[in-house]
Amino acid sequence: MAKSAEEEHPQKAVGWAARDPSGVLSPFKFSRRDNGDNDVTIKILYCGIGHTDLHNLKNEWGTSLYPMVPGYEIAGVVTEVGRNVTKFRVGDKVGVGCMIGSCRSCDNCAQDLENYCHKGILTYNSAYYDGSITFGGFSDKVVVDHNYVLRFPDNLPLDAAAPLLCAGITVYSPMKYFGFNEPGKHLGVVGLGGLGHMAVKFGKAFGLKVTVISTSASKEKDALERLGADSFLISHDPDQMQAAMGTLDGIIDTVSAVHPLQPLINLLKTNGKLIMVGAPDKPLELPIFPLLMGRKLVAGSGIGGLKETQEMVDFAGKQNITADIEVIPMDYVNTAMERLAKGDVKYRFVIDVANTLTC
Amino acid sequence: MSKSPEEEHPRKAFGWAARDSSGVLSPFKFSRRATGDEDVTFKVLYCGICHSDLHCIKNEWGISTYPLLPGHEIVGVVTEVGSKVKKYKVGDKVGVGCLVGACHSCDNCTNDLENYCPKSIQTYNSINIDGTKTYGGYSDLMVANERYIVRMPENMPLEGGAPLLCAGITVYSPMKYYGLCSPGMHLGVVGLGGLGHVAVKFGKALGMKITVISTSIGKKQEALERLGADAFLVSRDQQQMQAATGTMDGIIDTVSAEHPLLPLMVLLKSNGKLVMVGAPERPLQLPVFPLLMGRKLVAGSCIGGMKETQEMIDFAAKHNITADIELIPVDYLNTAMERLVKADVKYRFVLDVGKTMTPA
């Protein structure tokens, strides 16, 4: 008979979980494995909330297992290390992102692209090597193989650095891979939320010209004055969109709602690249002519490998880049999810886990 | 009052044109400009028939103006050159592809990408700099600016070389640009028609493993035995397609009919590239998850610039690559078009202009 979540592992743990696709979170007692030879145990201080958590809580992709403890922008402090672990020590400020395991033998893993491994294990809602379902960062502690732990630079505040581990890497990886880290290029960013605002910050740090494309006129002032974007387009304003046609070298599209691609493709110069990092649950319409007429492309990208994630965190440390966050107590999480569904946050909720998680 | 096609230019010319969107082609008297200082005039010997010609004569893209005289895989022998022409002389074997002009000042033109110039002038169904319509290669005579003339190599049979001027460059350019051209790479080719069969030939010459993906099992034997493809997948056979999951570095998709993208995306490895060179008129459905899950991409490409077109022709000559053609007399044209609709040709019709295109 399968053990309960509380009994399956030796270390007691507490968190908040959803029990069903209503997605409503509530206190949840469960357990973590003992710290193995290759493991690092982390006392969780903060955990960012991503739109993916919302999709998963509500089973919008049809792959959710309940009870579900979400959260993969985890920041905290090391409390124990296994004897094979040399990179981390008790007291280190560390984080965990979206992945905690992979096959480590396929071509992707060999190239530090664990994120594209077909046997990748996600920080929550995945089956671990031992068959148990993984539980994420809306909890007091996590035990992770040292290969999947990131070090935070001392100069970054942990609460604002936590979102780098998913939002940050999700935009950083394609910006590098597709060449949008070269000064002078013009990058569009669709959607000014958790991912979008990180893309603007990284873009400016790379020396790019950045144009935000959004449905919300109310975000314009912040985008231009505080985030440093060079311009702002309202996507449903045909005049603005027309005037910007053929001006962008690339676009990072962070929007996961279904939306039309043609207006974005039109904004691209010849050889322009539209990179999708949001995941609409239904197929989008792709007009082919515009791709042919300008040798344009539509690509996808999903987070990044661990090596690149560490590189991104170190880059953020040097450039003093962190997310703009709204810190919330654990018991505000359901309200936060409702606000997140409406895009009502500037620009990432982060749960103050250590101070407010009680069971 | 604008002049008639016969009168607008000083030189008499003769061809076959469509008068309306029925697409039926028939004899057509018109005229060509005198050889300008930078022009090359040549007697047309052969012209390939491209699926684009079919789309255009039937106004399937909604941009056709009539009379429409198609043909953009044109080869022949130079009869006159302008005073400033350096590269060509009378008697040279030359060709013209899909373009006869561009702005020559934009970023694209400066980078030898006349094909992406917003002001590019197509060989037919376009407006030339002098305001007159362009007429293509289903005709006896062609005049074009030197920049748009391609030298046809001595060792290349002209009739087999003609289709390279559109079909050839259309697959060669993206194979190079998207890096699908290194020995050992695995390339899929969707559709085994004019474009597809040339992609197979180029791919093998570049040392790649080639898998043809087709709806027609009837093409399998030829693909493997004569064209040299390494494998053949029938796209409707789910088991075959499943077995090939995640095996291809890239796919050149030549099909212009609407078709599902997901089964093709699944064939790609991580970082794989699906390159569309056929142009379906309606948007296709793009599932986004598979792109994210494998950092895959869907891209487009359209012919190539003039420099690259010459490079492609020279490459083909070096590897003895020409198109597989069915040479037809001009009075078979309309039948050929009907057969082309059904993809009933191995693999390109070529019009024997020199011997059979005579004024009535």
Side-chain angles (χ1 to χ4, degrees):
Chain A
M1 197 171 76
K3 290 189 176 167
S4 73
E6 269 192 84
E7 294 165 338
E8 64 182 346
H9 297 298
Q11 289 197 71
K12 284 198 190 329
V14 295
W16 276 47
R19 284 10 184 232
D20 56 48
S22 70
V24 171
L25 294 144
S26 58
F28 176 65
K29 288 182 184 162
F30 66 109
S31 51
R32 295 286 192 194
R33 66 176 185 271
D34 272 336
N35 198 81
D37 292 342
N38 297 322
D39 287 336
V40 172
T41 297
I42 301 166
K43 174 180 158 69
I44 297 176
L45 298 178
Y46 300 101
C47 188
I49 301 180
H51 213 111
T52 298
D53 296 326
L54 191 51
H55 288 306
N56 277 322
L57 285 172
K58 301 200 171 211
N59 196 20
E60 284 172 15
W61 294 327
T63 54
S64 298
L65 302 163
Y66 299 95
M68 176 187 295
V69 177
Y72 40 45
E73 293 180 340
I74 304 168
V77 170
V78 177
T79 56
E80 192 179 348
V81 296
R83 60 174 154 175
N84 293 339
V85 176
T86 52
K87 287 193 297 178
F88 303 103
R89 286 186 321 232
V90 171
D92 281 351
K93 298 195 317 185
V94 295
V96 177
C98 305
M99 298 191 67
I100 52 170
S102 62
C103 83
R104 308 197 70 74
S105 58
C106 67
D107 282 346
N108 288 314
C109 286
Q111 293 174 69
D112 299 312
L113 294 171
E114 298 91 346
N115 47 322
Y116 298 116
C117 172
H118 291 269
K119 297 185 180 161
I121 301 172
L122 303 176
T123 302
Y124 70 88
N125 199 45
S126 252
Y128 202 59
Y129 305 117
D130 64 1
S132 62
I133 299 302
T134 55
F135 293 124
F138 291 15
S139 61
D140 62 343
K141 65 169 77 67
V142 69
V143 181
V144 180
D145 181 293
H146 68 133
N147 287 302
Y148 301 89
V149 178
L150 289 317
R151 178 188 303 288
F152 281 116
D154 278 325
N155 64 311
L156 293 185
L158 275 186
D159 52 1
L164 293 173
L165 299 176
C166 183
I169 185 59
T170 296
V171 298
Y172 181 92
S173 185
M175 285 169 77
K176 289 208 68 187
Y177 182 70
F178 291 104
F180 298 112
N181 58 336
E182 291 162 28
K185 286 196 172 170
H186 188 174
L187 182 71
V189 177
V190 185
L192 198 62
L195 268 59
H197 92 291
M198 295 300 326
V200 175
K201 292 190 182 203
F202 283 142
K204 294 313 297 174
F206 288 142
L208 307 178
K209 178 173 171 184
V210 179
T211 293
V212 172
I213 300 139
S214 171
T215 51
S216 325
S218 59
K219 296 186 174 179
E220 178 167 0
K221 193 161 184 289
D222 217 48
L224 299 176
E225 293 177 16
R226 219 171 47 73
L227 294 174
D230 298 275
S231 58
F232 190 97
L233 296 176
I234 306 278
S235 44
H236 46 260
D237 181 327
D239 291 332
Q240 284 190 17
M241 295 292 274
Q242 175 97 355
M245 277 177 73
T247 57
L248 304 179
D249 294 288
I251 296 172
I252 300 280
D253 185 347
T254 73
V255 173
S256 56
V258 169
H259 59 288
L261 295 182
Q262 172 124 13
L264 300 175
I265 294 170
N266 289 346
L267 295 175
L268 294 168
K269 295 177 185 172
T270 301
N271 302 325
K273 303 168 187 173
L274 170 58
I275 317 296
M276 315 295 293
V277 294
D281 53 1
K282 289 202 259 290
L284 301 183
E285 280 204 346
L286 180 68
I288 305 293
F289 248 89
L291 295 186
L292 265 65
M293 294 286 101
R295 195 160 61 179
K296 299 178 184 180
L297 64 87
V298 180
S301 182
I303 45 172
L306 272 310
K307 184 175 172 205
E308 193 173 34
T309 304
Q310 186 65 65
E311 176 194 302
M312 176 273 306
V313 170
D314 295 340
F315 174 79
K318 287 210 176 65
Q319 302 281 335
N320 268 309
I321 293 173
T322 53
D324 294 352
I325 63 173
E326 182 177 330
V327 181
I328 61 161
M330 191 76 232
D331 61 12
Y332 189 78
V333 73
N334 289 309
T335 309
M337 288 300 179
E338 283 166 27
R339 286 179 51 196
L340 183 57
K342 291 177 267 173
D344 173 26
V345 56
K346 284 201 173 110
Y347 291 97
R348 206 63 157 179
F349 288 112
V350 172
I351 305 170
D352 184 354
V353 174
N355 291 324
T356 65
L357 173 62
T358 50
C359 237
Chain B
M1 197 171 79
S2 58
K3 291 187 176 171
S4 74
E6 270 193 85
E7 295 165 337
E8 61 186 351
H9 295 296
R11 235 191 213 131
K12 282 195 191 334
F14 174 75
W16 277 48
R19 299 327 200 261
D20 55 46
S21 59
S22 70
V24 171
L25 296 142
S26 57
F28 175 67
K29 288 182 185 165
F30 68 110
S31 50
R32 294 282 190 199
R33 67 177 185 264
T35 308
D37 291 342
E38 296 177 2
D39 286 340
V40 171
T41 295
F42 63 96
K43 173 180 159 64
V44 178
L45 293 178
Y46 302 101
C47 187
I49 297 178
C50 176
H51 213 112
S52 300
D53 298 341
L54 185 52
H55 288 307
C56 278
I57 55 181
K58 299 197 170 205
N59 196 18
E60 283 172 13
W61 293 328
I63 51 168
S64 300
T65 58
Y66 298 94
L68 196 153
L69 199 162
H72 54 209
E73 296 178 339
I74 317 168
V75 295
V77 173
V78 178
T79 55
E80 190 179 355
V81 298
S83 59
K84 294 190 178 144
V85 171
K86 302 272 188 305
K87 292 198 293 182
Y88 304 101
K89 54 184 198 305
V90 172
D92 282 351
K93 300 200 300 188
V94 295
V96 165
C98 306
L99 297 177
V100 292
C103 83
H104 303 155
S105 58
C106 69
D107 281 345
N108 288 316
C109 286
T110 312
N111 288 314
D112 298 312
L113 295 171
E114 298 91 344
N115 48 322
Y116 297 116
C117 171
K119 297 187 180 159
S120 64
I121 302 170
Q122 273 89 64
T123 302
Y124 65 84
N125 197 43
S126 248
I127 303 295
N128 228 325
I129 306 170
D130 62 1
T132 60
K133 270 180 62 170
T134 54
Y135 293 120
Y138 295 10
S139 64
D140 57 353
L141 191 69
M142 190 67 200
V143 184
N145 180 289
E146 180 183 17
R147 182 166 173 159
Y148 298 90
I149 299 283
V150 178
R151 179 183 303 286
M152 302 305 286
E154 275 310 308
N155 68 314
M156 180 182 281
L158 273 185
E159 63 269 37
L164 297 178
L165 296 171
C166 180
I169 185 60
T170 295
V171 298
Y172 181 89
S173 186
M175 285 168 74
K176 302 285 308 278
Y177 180 70
Y178 291 105
L180 302 170
C181 53
S182 301
M185 279 188 157
H186 185 182
L187 182 71
V189 177
V190 186
L192 198 62
L195 269 57
H197 91 291
V198 176
V200 175
K201 293 189 182 202
F202 283 159
K204 293 311 297 173
L206 291 164
M208 297 199 280
K209 174 177 171 185
I210 304 291
T211 295
V212 172
I213 301 139
S214 172
T215 50
S216 326
I217 182 85
K219 296 186 174 179
K220 180 173 178 174
Q221 201 184 355
E222 269 237 344
L224 299 176
E225 294 177 14
R226 216 169 53 69
L227 294 176
D230 298 276
F232 189 99
L233 296 177
V234 178
S235 45
R236 292 194 188 109
D237 184 324
Q238 293 204 2
Q239 272 190 327
Q240 285 189 22
M241 294 291 276
Q242 178 100 346
T245 296
T247 57
M248 298 180 196
D249 296 286
I251 295 173
I252 301 284
D253 185 347
T254 74
V255 173
S256 56
E258 262 183 61
H259 57 288
L261 294 181
L262 180 61
L264 301 175
M265 290 160 67
V266 167
L267 296 175
L268 294 169
K269 296 176 185 173
S270 283
N271 304 319
K273 302 166 188 173
L274 171 57
V275 185
M276 316 295 293
V277 294
E281 8 168 334
R282 282 202 288 268
L284 300 182
Q285 294 294 305
L286 177 71
V288 181
F289 250 88
L291 293 185
L292 267 63
M293 295 286 101
R295 196 159 60 181
K296 299 178 183 180
L297 63 87
V298 179
S301 182
C302 181
I303 48 173
M306 296 317 301
K307 184 172 170 209
E308 194 173 34
T309 303
Q310 185 66 66
E311 177 193 302
M312 175 276 306
I313 290 286
D314 296 338
F315 168 84
K318 192 166 149 198
H319 293 272
N320 274 311
I321 294 172
T322 52
D324 293 353
I325 66 168
E326 183 176 329
L327 194 59
I328 61 160
V330 73
D331 57 14
Y332 193 76
L333 238 189
N334 289 307
T335 309
M337 287 300 183
E338 283 165 30
R339 284 179 53 196
L340 187 55
V341 172
K342 292 174 268 174
D344 172 26
V345 56
K346 287 198 174 119
Y347 290 98
R348 205 57 153 189
F349 288 112
V350 172
L351 204 45
D352 188 346
V353 175
K355 294 206 181 72
T356 69
M357 173 89 66
T358 48

